[in-house]
Amino acid sequence: MWVNPEEVLLANALWVTERANPYFILQRRKGHGGDGGGGGLAGLLVGTLDVVLDSSARVAPYRILYQAPDSLVYWTIACGCSRKEITEHWEWLEQNLLQTLSIFENENDINTFVRGKIQGIIAEYNKINGIKEDDDTEKFKEAIVKFHKLFGMPEEEKLVNYYSCSYWKGKVPRQGWVYLSINHLCFYSFLMGKEAKLVIRWVDITQLEKNATLLFPDMIKVSTRSSEHFFSVFLNISETFKLMEQLANIAMRQLLDNEGFEQDTSLPKLKKKSPKKVSALKRDLDARAKSERYRALFRLPKDEKLDGHTDCTLWTPFNKMHILGQMFVSTNYICFTSKEENLCSLIIPLREVTIVEKADSSSVLPSPLSISTKNRMTFLFANLKDRDFLVQRISDFLQQTTSKIYLEKNISGSYMSSDDEAKEFLKEQAWKIHFAEYGQGVCMYRTEKTRDLVLKGIPESMRGELWLLFSGAINEMATHPGYYEDLVEKSMGKYNLATEEIERDLHRSLPEHPAFQNEMGIAALRRVLTAYAFRNPNIGYCQAMNIVTSVLLLYAKEEEAFWLLVALCERMLPDYYNTRVVGALVDQGVFEELARDYVPQLYDCMQDLGVISTISLSWFLTLFLSVMPFESAVVVVDCFFCEGIKVIFQLALAVLDANVDKLLNCKDDGEAMTVLGRYLDSVTNKDSTLPPIPHLHSLLSDDVEPYPEVDIFRLIRSSYEKFGSIRADLIEQMRFKQRLKVIQTLEDTTKRNVVRTIVTETSFTIDELEELYALFKAEHLTSCYWGGNSNAIDRHDPSLPYLEQYRIDFEQFKGMFALLFPWACGTHSDVLAARLFRLLDENGDLLINFREFVSGLSAACHGDLTEKLKLLYKMHVLPDPSPEQEEPDSAFEATQYFFEDITPECTHVVGLDSRNKQGVDDGFVTVSLKTDKAKKSSQENRNYLRMWSQENKSKAKNAKDLPKLNQGQFIELCKTMYNMFSEDPNEQDLYHATAAVTSLLLEIGEVGKLFSVQPAKETDSSSNNCSKTIQSELFQKKEHQRYPLEQHKPFQSSLSTNDEEAVCTDSALGMQMEDIKLEDSSPRDNGACSSMLISDDDTKDDSSMSSYSVLSAGSHEEEKLHCEDIGEDTVLVRSNHTTSLRRSTSIDRDWAITFEQFLASLLTEPALVRYFDKPVSMMARITNAKNIRMRGKPITSASDYEISTMSG
């Protein structure tokens, strides 16, 4: 390909010149082609250097250099992967540029002309091929090409970055490059003739660790289910590991939510001074990571994007100081945090800003910036490096900020004079003094003093407002006025699984509290929970949400409680309340790690008793609300909204620490749970003004000696003193590690459940089913990030039973069919896949689940002879989905004819009003064909599938229930069998056997017509004409008869014989028989006739994939043709010399065969019996499928590729 001219210092170093002229030189890299393969030791050394030094020559070993006369400077203008590609470029240069260059006299003019010409060619090529300019540097574009070529990845697979490192294979390090893409971790090495490749999918990684050993202080360990891989000698291990963590997190999110990665195209352009190797995608991921940290730090809405940050100082009026810190600017907020942790932080929503102005600089206050807000607070920032640019950005964002109508209430306490409530009054006064000094509302200065006040307890009257403030819910509520009311209105009267569960749990939510002993409180709780279930269907409703929401409603208004619930579920407790409580399980793992580090004397004992897993779920999911007296638990919620999840971890550790001695003496988990339960029940809040509410544990243990009271404030203080060193960033690191473990464990559990459910229904072993499930899921995931014909979200629904969670569409099924099914052979494979897909798909949604997939595969691979043949027969007896019908009347008549004549014995089942209950156990899901055009045939398919559903349920496979095969369908069946054998070792024997069976079935079909009920005499002749006379046409060569697959869509039949071909109208109605010619859509229509025989001679030619001979069927013995009558290259059709339409055929409506006849005929040929009885080695096919790349897509199992080494 042509490349932007780039200067080359040493033209002949490691390159061999093959062609040259006065201006251009064509060179080949040493060790590539031309010099005896590997090029000896020099070639091996060059190859090794190319890999180690990241040279593009490994991918493009040919290049063309431009050199001006009398100059020592060379320019690369083209490179190529093959000699053919580079020769084409060379010839173009000789023909188009050489003569022109000789005209120039000045060397500079020649240089300018050549470089301009090459750049013009590249620009023109990009314009023609629709290639847009991107931010990736030339160096990185080379790496992308190299990555795609080395690992066979498709264009859709985006490379993020690549790093030099060593991979340890055994005890030997292999120096090479690790490539990190959105979905894969890849490694490539070429050392002294030995090439090594490794490909691991991120979704298969179970552990990612940065280890330090004496020999190697920096090493990254990547673990999958089946192996461990070690990488070392990184130039920047921290950056590499962070990126690996981020990509693995994206993969886990994909497993959890089934959402593919989408690149953010709104990033600012790359600056010229940026590092050369940084890709646009890497910048995108870096920006995402920074935005995530920013949102977590300041509790901002989840769609907020960080625009930039800068060092500065903030003047704090409460202590008259300039505090050093960082200012963060995003679309809707300006935030500040001090360098010294917890000293001061600030959040200024742009909706609150009234004035932004640059103040006068001075030596004391350089580059100051003043920001005023609606509540008359002014913030003074100074020491801003690029103040003008910053002001411009803030002004731009202010213009985009729309003024939302939302009035923040002033927080005011209730003045109490009672002596019993004196403590509450003092707390309120303390907060009022704090507001006067530090500001009030969302823009207040948040300092250590703020936290200390929270730890002493928030006054009852201020609790709801301060929860909104500290959680950040106040921002989302302010920017979404009317959202909650709309949601309540939309969700009213709607019913689904979530609303059923909500109704069931409403009366279990704080039943001891008076507020929820009447319908008003219950109704408010119902509205909030239902509104949230409709806002976030991925979560819907989860147990424990009712308890938390009921407490929120006690202190906040309904809308405020809704936004607090949003903040909890979506930001503060991520993934806690989804169907599999993944977040709580992750934090359970984090808690185990913390317990091992902070209470080691107790850890082993707790592990043996299995208590940690039991306690952590109930404590964390309800924030201690379900295990502590209510008045004490709300204090924990106060601290949680202020400080986040670290409070819950600290408190849980403090509870364990306080009960160490008792827990060590426990004999079983029941005893340990009793100890902890009694301790938590004794936690009291003496400051509370609430009436005492009886608690579950106290009700259960009244007869036991009461536990000494524990003050909640003392317990919280103790947790900060002993375990306050736990930091939020440490928790996030531990969460990442546990998330990998938890999600992969859940995936394994799902796989085991699926296999356990389905193993009794199939002939596959457990190992085979596990591998098949891994392949099936991998195919689904692959389509999520490389695109497919259907929406990935539609194909994965976590609320469905395990067997139906992952579903694949036809394009994916086609790939799996080609890899796994024994009948997939030759060009007919896709058509056969389409037939099987329609058979397995019962409800018309164009998706099949794992159970259905396995049922089809099991019948084809492990079924007995009858089962296999029955599957083959069913695949062809379904009506073919037709392309556009030109005349609806004709199609309707064809449908009527099909139901009335082909399956007269089944009419009572086939009616549109027939029962549409499909059994779940039969393994079929309910399915509709994509386009409106195919609706009629789709209905027919479902009618037949209903007929068979009873057979599948009862498992008594009565062959008589199967409808008869009409003439067109019989032709298709023969064609399928003919193609099926094209790569078999006994190909010739099978072709002869097929010809014999076909001949026999033709005769059986003709004989069967003699026994059919004859209509009135006057219509007999016309009916006979229809069945007996088919257009006579002689094809010149086999190529015209060949089955042209590429002309047809997957769901069109291989021969349109049902709704498209000429149709005989019902003679019983006394109408004239006529041939109706529909659109001749492809050469496939030409071969249809009433009977067919495969010529022995035709089978000798592999290229004639479906050449066949066709006989006219007569109802009289003397008119029959036999196998010997058939010519070598032709299709003979005998005509009755009646009306003839060119290139159209008539279908004999009376000709039909049954499954029993098909089975009995096939049993007469030992070659066919042996073929269908032949055992299929499923594990061999699965192993092959794991390593084959279909169209550049690696279809791998859950285990990664093993590293492969090839000698050079």
Side-chain angles (χ1 to χ4, degrees):
M1 63 179 189
W2 300 105
V3 295
N4 278 315
E6 193 174 323
E7 195 171 324
V8 176
L9 296 175
L10 298 169
N12 295 315
L14 309 178
W15 292 84
V16 179
T17 300
E18 294 203 333
R19 295 191 192 182
N21 60 40
Y23 296 98
F24 302 105
I25 302 170
L26 191 156
Q27 293 186 323
R28 172 180 47 80
R29 190 72 163 176
K30 284 183 180 174
H32 286 274
D35 52 4
L41 184 60
L44 294 180
L45 287 169
V46 171
T48 303
L49 276 172
D50 286 342
V51 171
V52 174
L53 300 176
D54 187 29
S55 165
S56 59
R58 280 294 295 167
V59 177
Y62 297 93
R63 71 180 183 183
I64 297 174
L65 301 180
Y66 158 71
Q67 180 193 23
D70 307 322
S71 170
L72 296 175
V73 179
Y74 293 85
W75 299 82
T76 309
I77 58 169
C79 63
C81 303
S82 64
R83 191 183 295 274
K84 182 186 173 188
E85 182 187 357
I86 207 73
T87 305
E88 285 174 3
H89 287 357
W90 178 263
E91 288 171 355
W92 187 90
L93 289 170
E94 286 188 329
Q95 291 166 13
N96 296 283
L97 281 193
L98 270 185
Q99 290 182 346
T100 312
L101 294 180
S102 60
I103 299 168
F104 290 98
E105 295 178 1
N106 188 329
E107 183 186 318
N108 289 334
D109 292 345
I110 297 175
N111 287 347
T112 307
F113 177 77
V114 171
R115 292 171 68 180
K117 191 72 177 171
I118 299 301
Q119 286 166 347
I121 292 170
I122 294 169
E124 186 65 23
Y125 176 82
N126 290 346
K127 186 180 175 183
I128 292 168
N129 291 280
I131 299 170
K132 294 178 183 175
E133 282 295 316
D134 54 31
D135 286 344
D136 290 341
T137 58
E138 291 298 325
K139 183 70 176 166
F140 197 80
K141 284 177 187 172
E142 277 181 22
I144 292 170
V145 172
K146 215 180 300 183
F147 166 71
H148 286 141
K149 185 176 179 189
L150 288 173
F151 303 103
M153 295 288 176
E155 290 298 316
E156 296 90 346
E157 181 66 354
K158 305 290 186 189
L159 178 66
V160 181
N161 214 348
Y162 62 109
Y163 301 94
S164 170
C165 71
S166 285
Y167 170 76
W168 287 81
K169 191 182 177 212
K171 294 184 179 178
V172 182
R174 306 294 301 266
Q175 183 63 32
W177 293 83
V178 65
Y179 292 84
L180 306 180
S181 70
I182 287 296
N183 304 295
H184 296 87
L185 180 157
C186 306
F187 176 80
Y188 179 79
S189 168
F190 181 86
L191 289 176
M192 302 309 292
K194 293 206 170 182
E195 189 178 51
K197 289 183 188 179
L198 176 73
V199 179
I200 308 172
R201 294 187 315 160
W202 292 115
V203 288
D204 295 332
I205 290 176
T206 54
Q207 201 173 6
L208 196 60
E209 290 180 290
K210 191 162 66 170
N211 291 335
T213 61
L214 286 173
L215 189 58
F216 291 100
D218 290 330
M219 181 179 273
I220 293 175
K221 176 184 169 188
V222 178
S223 305
T224 65
R225 288 175 179 81
S226 56
S227 53
E228 293 181 342
H229 307 277
F230 296 92
F231 300 89
S232 63
V233 197
F234 287 94
L235 294 175
N236 189 343
I237 191 165
S238 297
E239 182 191 328
T240 311
F241 188 70
K242 270 183 188 172
L243 183 56
M244 283 181 168
E245 276 190 328
Q246 197 174 1
L247 291 168
N249 248 329
I250 290 171
M252 293 306 108
R253 178 58 51 195
Q254 187 186 31
L255 283 176
L256 205 55
D257 297 341
N258 210 57
E259 291 177 0
F261 174 81
E262 287 184 16
Q263 189 172 348
D264 183 3
T265 53
S266 63
L267 288 172
K269 289 285 176 191
L270 191 67
K271 294 176 185 173
K272 287 186 178 177
K273 62 180 182 179
S274 296
K276 280 187 180 178
K277 268 176 50 174
V278 174
S279 68
L281 198 52
K282 173 73 166 64
R283 291 171 52 234
D284 177 7
L285 289 171
D286 288 345
R288 284 176 191 229
K290 285 178 182 175
S291 290
E292 278 172 24
R293 286 195 294 272
Y294 167 63
R295 289 193 297 266
L297 185 61
F298 298 105
R299 308 270 169 80
L300 299 177
K302 60 179 183 180
D303 54 355
E304 192 66 19
K305 287 182 186 175
L306 178 65
D307 187 68
H309 56 90
T310 181
D311 290 340
C312 67
T313 57
L314 171 68
W315 169 254
T316 48
F318 51 85
N319 60 1
K320 308 284 189 294
M321 284 177 67
H322 290 283
I323 296 177
L324 185 65
Q326 274 192 320
M327 177 196 279
F328 300 84
V329 178
S330 62
T331 324
N332 299 295
Y333 299 88
I334 298 168
C335 301
F336 173 88
T337 186
S338 57
K339 291 276 187 192
E340 189 182 329
E341 198 179 4
N342 295 328
L343 187 60
C344 180
S345 67
L346 186 65
I347 300 168
I348 310 171
L350 291 182
R351 64 177 185 273
E352 295 290 318
V353 173
T354 53
I355 300 170
V356 177
E357 58 182 347
K358 293 181 275 189
D360 294 333
S361 287
S362 67
S363 56
V364 182
L365 210 61
S367 303
L369 178 68
S370 167
I371 298 175
S372 302
T373 63
K374 290 175 184 174
N375 62 353
R376 296 176 189 171
M377 289 180 75
T378 300
F379 303 96
L380 190 61
F381 299 93
N383 291 285
L384 291 158
K385 288 178 185 171
D386 201 346
R387 185 176 62 165
D388 294 344
F389 176 74
L390 184 67
V391 170
Q392 184 58 49
R393 291 302 288 165
I394 294 172
S395 301
D396 292 345
F397 291 137
L398 275 171
Q399 287 172 8
Q400 297 166 19
T401 306
T402 52
S403 181
K404 299 281 196 288
I405 303 163
Y406 175 76
L407 298 173
E408 278 187 23
K409 292 184 294 183
N410 285 333
I411 301 174
S412 56
S414 53
Y415 290 89
M416 305 177 197
S417 54
S418 166
D419 294 339
D420 297 336
E421 293 166 348
K423 286 183 181 175
E424 187 76 4
F425 175 72
L426 289 173
K427 278 186 191 175
E428 285 183 11
Q429 290 305 309
W431 276 98
K432 284 180 180 174
I433 293 165
H434 183 78
F435 291 148
E437 193 174 348
Y438 295 89
Q440 185 171 343
V442 73
C443 298
M444 67 187 281
Y445 293 96
R446 301 168 197 227
T447 64
E448 276 191 272
K449 192 173 177 187
T450 314
R451 191 193 73 179
D452 292 341
L453 275 176
V454 172
L455 297 187
K456 289 173 184 172
I458 296 175
E460 294 281 322
S461 57
M462 296 182 179
R463 187 163 271 142
E465 296 291 341
L466 287 171
W467 282 359
L468 278 172
L469 193 65
F470 294 135
S471 67
I474 193 167
N475 293 315
E476 283 163 304
M477 189 165 84
T479 51
H480 294 84
Y483 177 85
Y484 174 68
E485 287 83 353
D486 291 344
L487 212 52
V488 169
E489 199 174 316
K490 283 177 190 171
S491 63
M492 204 170 285
K494 301 275 178 66
Y495 295 99
N496 56 22
L497 185 63
T499 56
E500 284 177 28
E501 291 177 346
I502 289 168
E503 287 300 324
R504 190 181 62 218
D505 284 353
L506 282 175
H507 295 279
R508 303 177 192 169
S509 314
L510 289 188
E512 62 274 11
H513 198 285
F516 297 101
Q517 290 168 0
N518 60 64
E519 189 50 42
M520 189 184 290
I522 295 289
L525 182 59
R526 179 188 291 115
R527 284 192 295 273
V528 173
L529 289 172
T530 308
Y532 187 77
F534 275 82
R535 168 190 164 87
N536 191 342
N538 287 341
I539 290 177
Y541 170 77
C542 172
Q543 282 188 329
M545 282 171 73
N546 59 321
I547 295 171
V548 173
T549 310
S550 56
V551 173
L552 299 178
L553 277 167
L554 290 175
Y555 293 101
K557 291 178 180 174
E558 206 173 297
E559 185 182 6
E560 294 170 343
F562 170 78
W563 287 112
L564 281 167
L565 184 63
V566 168
L568 267 176
C569 295
E570 296 173 15
R571 290 190 284 108
M572 300 189 75
L573 295 174
D575 302 322
Y576 258 58
Y577 299 108
N578 59 24
T579 47
R580 300 189 282 183
V581 292
V582 171
L585 292 172
V586 167
D587 281 352
Q588 176 186 303
V590 172
F591 182 53
E592 283 188 30
E593 277 196 68
L594 291 171
R596 186 183 59 215
D597 295 341
Y598 286 94
V599 279
Q601 70 276 27
L602 197 57
Y603 178 75
D604 291 335
C605 165
M606 297 293 278
Q607 285 293 90
D608 293 341
L609 295 175
V611 173
I612 288 181
S613 57
T614 314
I615 59 173
S616 53
L617 274 179
S618 59
W619 293 3
F620 294 176
L621 272 170
T622 63
L623 304 175
F624 285 92
L625 286 164
S626 63
V627 292
M628 245 186 220
F630 174 76
E631 63 275 10
S632 304
V634 288
V635 179
V636 178
V637 179
D638 293 344
C639 300
F640 169 74
F641 278 126
C642 179
E643 290 274 89
I645 193 66
K646 64 171 277 185
V647 172
I648 306 297
F649 285 123
Q650 288 174 188
L651 195 62
L653 289 170
V655 171
L656 292 185
D657 186 60
N659 291 278
V660 168
D661 297 334
K662 290 182 180 175
L663 288 169
L664 287 172
N665 294 324
C666 290
K667 306 286 188 297
D668 55 42
D669 58 340
E671 192 179 343
M673 291 304 293
T674 305
V675 167
L676 291 170
R678 290 189 65 222
Y679 177 83
L680 286 168
D681 195 60
S682 69
V683 176
T684 57
N685 177 3
K686 291 179 180 174
D687 294 355
S688 175
T689 57
L690 296 172
I693 299 169
H695 197 256
L696 183 64
H697 288 121
S698 59
L699 295 174
L700 294 175
S701 53
D702 281 344
D703 53 338
V704 187
E705 184 184 336
Y707 203 95
E709 285 187 352
V710 180
D711 182 54
I712 181 65
F713 297 108
R714 191 174 293 126
L715 180 62
I716 288 173
R717 235 182 350 264
S718 159
S719 76
Y720 268 89
E721 287 165 6
K722 292 182 179 176
F723 311 110
S725 57
I726 298 173
R727 295 164 50 92
D729 54 352
L730 173 73
I731 291 171
E732 281 308 311
Q733 283 177 18
M734 294 166 83
R735 273 179 167 175
F736 164 73
K737 183 179 169 185
Q738 293 298 328
R739 194 176 292 120
L740 285 177
K741 190 173 163 186
V742 166
I743 292 178
Q744 296 293 17
T745 304
L746 287 171
E747 290 293 312
D748 289 343
T749 306
T750 302
K751 181 169 72 175
R752 282 195 299 274
N753 288 337
V754 168
V755 169
R756 196 182 303 123
T757 309
I758 215 170
V759 72
T760 54
E761 301 172 15
T762 71
S763 311
F764 292 119
T765 64
I766 288 177
D767 289 344
E768 286 173 342
L769 281 173
E770 285 189 348
E771 289 292 352
L772 282 171
Y773 180 79
L775 268 177
F776 190 87
K777 192 180 86 176
E779 183 63 25
H780 166 83
L781 291 172
T782 300
S783 71
C784 289
Y785 45 73
W786 286 339
N789 288 351
S790 57
N791 188 348
I793 307 299
D794 297 338
R795 286 183 273 111
H796 181 254
D797 184 355
S799 65
L800 289 172
Y802 292 126
L803 283 167
E804 297 174 29
Q805 281 190 9
Y806 292 110
R807 291 170 291 178
I808 57 175
D809 60 22
F810 174 68
E811 282 303 314
Q812 297 165 289
F813 176 79
K814 195 164 67 174
M816 299 283 280
F817 180 86
L819 288 170
L820 296 171
F821 280 76
W823 300 340
C825 181
T827 55
H828 203 67
S829 177
D830 286 0
V831 178
L832 203 57
R835 290 184 178 281
L836 182 57
F837 186 85
R838 284 191 296 123
L839 177 67
L840 297 176
D841 184 15
E842 195 183 47
N843 66 348
D845 66 354
L846 284 182
L847 299 170
I848 62 171
N849 61 34
F850 183 63
R851 174 183 257 151
E852 294 162 351
F853 176 76
V854 167
S855 70
L857 186 61
S858 178
C861 294
H862 291 327
D864 58 27
L865 179 70
T866 311
E867 278 183 284
K868 288 179 181 175
L869 292 176
K870 185 175 285 190
L871 180 68
L872 195 61
Y873 184 92
K874 281 182 183 180
M875 284 159 64
H876 292 82
V877 85
L878 276 178
D880 293 320
S882 60
E884 297 182 42
Q885 280 112 11
E886 283 184 358
E887 299 179 28
D889 291 345
S890 305
F892 177 73
E893 286 165 13
T895 310
Q896 291 298 103
Y897 132 74
F898 185 80
F899 283 113
E900 288 168 18
D901 293 284
I902 298 304
T903 58
E905 69 272 27
C906 299
T907 16
H908 64 287
V909 186
V910 177
L912 295 179
D913 56 342
S914 58
R915 59 187 175 277
N916 39 15
K917 278 231 172 186
Q918 285 101 14
V920 180
D921 296 332
D922 61 359
F924 293 119
V925 241
T926 341
V927 157
S928 73
L929 286 153
K930 270 180 195 166
T931 60
D932 292 333
K933 299 170 190 172
K935 277 185 180 172
K936 284 181 180 153
S937 53
S938 167
Q939 180 62 47
E940 293 165 10
N941 292 353
R942 288 198 288 279
N943 289 332
Y944 275 109
L945 292 168
R946 285 194 197 106
M947 288 163 53
W948 294 326
S949 66
Q950 199 61 40
E951 167 200 331
N952 289 326
K953 283 179 198 170
S954 63
K955 303 292 179 191
K957 301 185 183 296
N958 186 354
K960 289 183 180 176
D961 290 343
L962 293 172
K964 290 182 180 179
L965 205 65
N966 76 351
Q967 200 173 75
Q969 293 164 341
F970 174 67
I971 291 168
E972 287 306 306
L973 178 57
C974 294
K975 196 183 293 183
T976 295
M977 289 176 66
Y978 188 39
N979 280 276
M980 206 185 279
F981 312 138
S982 65
E983 294 171 20
D984 195 274
N986 303 314
E987 191 176 346
Q988 292 300 317
D989 293 342
L990 289 165
Y991 285 158
H992 286 298
T994 306
V997 168
T998 308
S999 179
L1000 181 58
L1001 285 169
L1002 287 171
E1003 295 185 18
I1004 290 170
E1006 292 303 323
V1007 172
K1009 285 170 56 180
L1010 299 176
F1011 296 99
S1012 62
V1013 180
Q1014 295 298 320
K1017 194 171 183 180
E1018 59 178 331
T1019 58
D1020 180 47
S1021 59
S1022 56
S1023 174
N1024 198 32
N1025 283 345
C1026 182
S1027 66
K1028 184 176 165 188
T1029 68
I1030 300 176
Q1031 293 315 312
S1032 170
E1033 227 168 77
L1034 200 58
F1035 293 164
Q1036 294 175 357
K1037 288 287 174 188
K1038 288 183 199 172
E1039 292 90 82
H1040 297 295
Q1041 306 155 25
R1042 198 171 303 157
Y1043 176 70
L1045 176 72
E1046 66 277 9
Q1047 296 184 22
H1048 291 262
K1049 293 178 184 177
F1051 282 94
Q1052 291 177 6
S1053 64
S1054 54
L1055 191 63
S1056 307
T1057 55
N1058 300 315
D1059 296 343
E1060 265 193 52
E1061 296 298 335
V1063 177
C1064 301
T1065 53
D1066 195 343
S1067 55
L1069 298 173
M1071 298 173 68
Q1072 286 290 325
M1073 184 213 64
E1074 59 182 15
D1075 289 337
I1076 302 169
K1077 181 180 178 184
L1078 299 184
E1079 182 182 347
D1080 188 3
S1081 66
S1082 86
R1084 279 193 282 181
D1085 297 332
N1086 302 330
C1089 73
S1090 62
S1091 54
M1092 153 180 152
L1093 182 64
I1094 296 186
S1095 161
D1096 291 352
D1097 291 324
D1098 280 349
T1099 63
K1100 293 172 187 173
D1101 184 1
D1102 281 348
S1103 67
S1104 59
M1105 290 303 292
S1106 65
S1107 48
Y1108 52 84
S1109 305
V1110 184
L1111 306 180
S1112 169
S1115 54
H1116 304 297
E1117 290 294 323
E1118 64 270 20
E1119 290 186 344
K1120 289 193 182 149
L1121 291 177
H1122 298 283
C1123 192
E1124 307 86 74
D1125 302 326
I1126 306 308
E1128 181 181 337
D1129 293 282
T1130 61
V1131 173
L1132 296 179
V1133 184
R1134 201 186 292 172
S1135 171
N1136 220 22
H1137 304 295
T1138 54
T1139 13
S1140 167
L1141 292 174
R1142 251 188 103 61
R1143 298 183 71 82
S1144 179
T1145 54
S1146 296
I1147 294 298
D1148 186 342
R1149 57 184 291 183
D1150 294 326
W1151 192 100
I1153 59 165
T1154 64
F1155 174 68
E1156 296 96 317
Q1157 291 165 344
F1158 171 64
L1159 176 62
S1161 303
L1162 196 133
L1163 289 172
T1164 61
E1165 291 296 328
L1168 287 171
V1169 172
R1170 280 196 302 273
Y1171 177 84
F1172 284 106
D1173 261 344
K1174 185 170 57 180
V1176 177
S1177 171
M1178 204 60 229
M1179 281 311 284
R1181 284 180 172 273
I1182 291 169
T1183 306
N1184 181 47
K1186 281 159 64 174
N1187 295 309
I1188 279 183
R1189 292 171 181 272
M1190 284 280 293
R1191 299 174 191 161
K1193 295 183 183 182
I1195 301 177
T1196 61
S1197 76
S1199 61
D1200 52 275
Y1201 297 115
E1202 283 307 308
I1203 192 154
S1204 58
T1205 311
M1206 291 82 72
S1207 294

